[in-house]
Structure formats: C-alpha cells, structure tokens
C-alpha cells in the first residue's frame, strides 16, 4: 500500500479512519494517475532514433511565454481538469476547484487527500522545450504544448517532488519509483517526437539506456 502523508494536524481518530478508507482504495495500479498511455518501448526507441541531437540554448526563456492553465471546459482550467482526471472520488466546487479526493503520485509513491499538495507536472518541462526548439514557436503553439491533455505531458504529482525535478531532463532527474521509469521515458520521447523537439547527447544516452530495459 502506498505511503499516506498528511501536512495538517488531524486527530488520531480521524487519521485512523482515513487510513482505513484509503486502504480499500489504494491497493494497486488503479491508484495510479491517469496519464494518457505512452507509446510502446519499441515505438519510443524508433522515435528516439529519429530525434535531432543538439545542444540546449535557454537564451530568452520566460515561463510566461507558455500561457498555461487555460480554460478547458466551463469553469475548469487545465490544472483542475488534470486533478479531476488523476484523482479518485474527486469532488469539485461550482468554480471547479477540487474540494476533496485522493491522489496517488506515481513519481514518489505518496498519496494525498488535499489538492493543494499536488502540482501538475509538465513531463517535458517548459524550459526544456524552449531549450530544444520551442523558442521558434508561436505563442499559440507554446500554449498548446503547455496545456496538452492528449499526449502524456501533464500529470498530478507531489508538489515538492515536481519542484525538485524543476526543468531537468532524464539525464539529470528520474522518478524515485523505479518501476515508473519505463513509462516516464516512453512518455518523454513521445512528447519530444510529437513536437519535433531535439535532445542533447546526455539526454539521449539516458533515454536509450532506460528504454533498452523496457
């Protein structure tokens, strides 16, 4: 059963009751975030072989150049849409804010019961995209990338884990849950391939290494 964390003070009885309830929910793969299924390892290897290898250039990067958390439907923006998709028994307010639910973070194996404990990770970070080709895109293209719900690009994870990852590529950072490594690199390669983004040599080497064991 995944670890369950709480950042706010709870009574012993409330905490115990909550753990009993979670035990019935978080027992296996059903607890995982609903990231769109990435391409197979074989397809990812083919994609990776076709990607341009180039050094990264962050000149001119600004996160605001990637408009994100746009309205998706009704009052729901991208963040709220992913929180609802990736959680279990998520209840939302009339403004689409998640007021309750449970979320399992596949990066670190932690379970959360407050939406405020989660970040929506851009699996291929915005700065990484800029470094590898998005600097030449239009604002509309960068907005599409930053809010892509179709490709395996957005996922709800523990906030401080996402912050620790920051803008690092797989040569510099990988999820601590090793069983998620194959899914992570398959998703990474699929996103880079779809958006015609380059990889640097260390990044390609790490991706190749992980994919060879998938």
């Amino acid at each position: 059963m995944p670890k369950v964390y709480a950042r706010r003070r709870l009574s012993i009885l409330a905490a115990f009751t909550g753990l009993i309830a979670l035990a019935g929910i978080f027992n296996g793969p059903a607890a995982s975030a609903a990231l769109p299924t990435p391409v197979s390892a074989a397809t990812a290897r083919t994609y990776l072989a076709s990607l341009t290898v180039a050094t990264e250039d962050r000149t001119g990067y600004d996160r605001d150049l990637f408009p994100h958390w746009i309205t998706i439907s009704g009052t729901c923006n991208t963040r709220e849409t992913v929180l609802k998709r990736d959680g279990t028994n998520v209840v939302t307010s009339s403004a689409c804010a998640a007021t309750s639910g449970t979320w399992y973070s596949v990066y670190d194996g932690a379970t959360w019961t407050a939406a405020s404990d989660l970040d929506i990770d851009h699996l291929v970070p915005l700065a990484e995209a800029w470094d590898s080709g998005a600097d030449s895109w239009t604002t509309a293209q960068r907005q599409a990338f930053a809010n892509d719900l179709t490709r395996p690009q957005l996922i709800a994870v523990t906030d401080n884990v996402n912050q620790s990852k920051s803008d690092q590529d797989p040569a510099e950072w990988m999820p601590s849950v090793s069983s998620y490594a194959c899914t992570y690199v398959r998703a990474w390669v699929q996103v880079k391939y779809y958006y015609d983004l380059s990889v640097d040599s260390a990044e390609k080497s790490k991706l190749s290494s992980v994919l060879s064991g998938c």
Side-chain angles (χ1 to χ4, degrees), residues 31 42 44 48 50-51 53 61 63 76 86 90 106 113 117 119 161 166 168 179 190 193 195 205 209 213:
L48 180 59
S50 72
L51 295 181
V53 178
Y61 171 71
R63 187 174 175 84
C76 301
D86 289 3
V90 178
V106 292
T113 57
D117 289 325
D119 277 355
V161 171
S166 186
Q168 299 178 93
S179 60
Q190 179 180 346
Y193 178 83
Y195 285 99
S205 178
S209 175

Side-chain angles (χ1 to χ4, degrees), residues 17-45:
T17 302
L19 285 172
I20 291 175
L22 287 174
I25 298 173
F26 293 105
N27 238 342
S32 298
L35 184 78
T37 303
V39 295
S40 68
T43 298
R45 285 191 287 269

Side-chain angles (χ1 to χ4, degrees), residues 17-180:
T17 302
L19 285 172
I20 291 175
L22 287 174
I25 298 173
F26 293 105
N27 238 342
S32 298
L35 184 78
T37 303
V39 295
S40 68
T43 298
R45 285 191 287 269
T46 299
Y47 284 179
L48 180 59
S50 72
L51 295 181
T52 299
V53 178
T55 56
E56 297 181 347
D57 181 5
R58 191 158 300 183
T59 304
Y61 171 71
D62 187 323
R63 187 174 175 84
D64 290 340
L65 293 170
F66 291 80
H68 52 286
W69 305 168
I70 61 172
T71 300
I72 298 299
S73 176
T75 60
C76 301
N77 67 20
T78 316
R79 171 182 165 81
E80 293 158 344
T81 301
V82 176
L83 283 172
K84 188 170 183 179
R85 183 198 71 186
D86 289 3
T88 299
N89 297 327
V90 178
V91 176
T92 58
S93 70
S94 59
C96 204
T99 56
S100 65
T102 48
W103 291 267
Y104 175 72
S105 171
V106 292
Y107 287 179
D108 59 331
T111 296
W112 301 101
T113 57
S116 59
D117 289 325
L118 297 147
D119 277 355
I120 306 305
D121 180 41
H122 289 97
L123 195 134
V124 174
L126 304 182
E128 169 69 24
W130 179 272
D131 295 350
S132 50
D135 58 333
S136 66
W137 294 353
T138 65
T139 298
Q141 288 173 314
R142 289 192 286 266
Q143 176 175 294
F145 175 83
N147 299 276
D148 189 350
L149 294 166
T150 303
R151 262 62 54 181
Q153 165 65 348
L154 298 173
I155 186 170
V157 297
T158 302
D159 54 5
N160 64 314
V161 171
N162 182 53
Q163 291 151 24
S164 175
K165 171 188 171 179
S166 186
D167 56 11
Q168 299 178 93
D169 69 30
E172 303 159 320
W173 187 93
M174 286 288 292
S176 61
V177 176
S178 58
S179 60
Y180 198 68

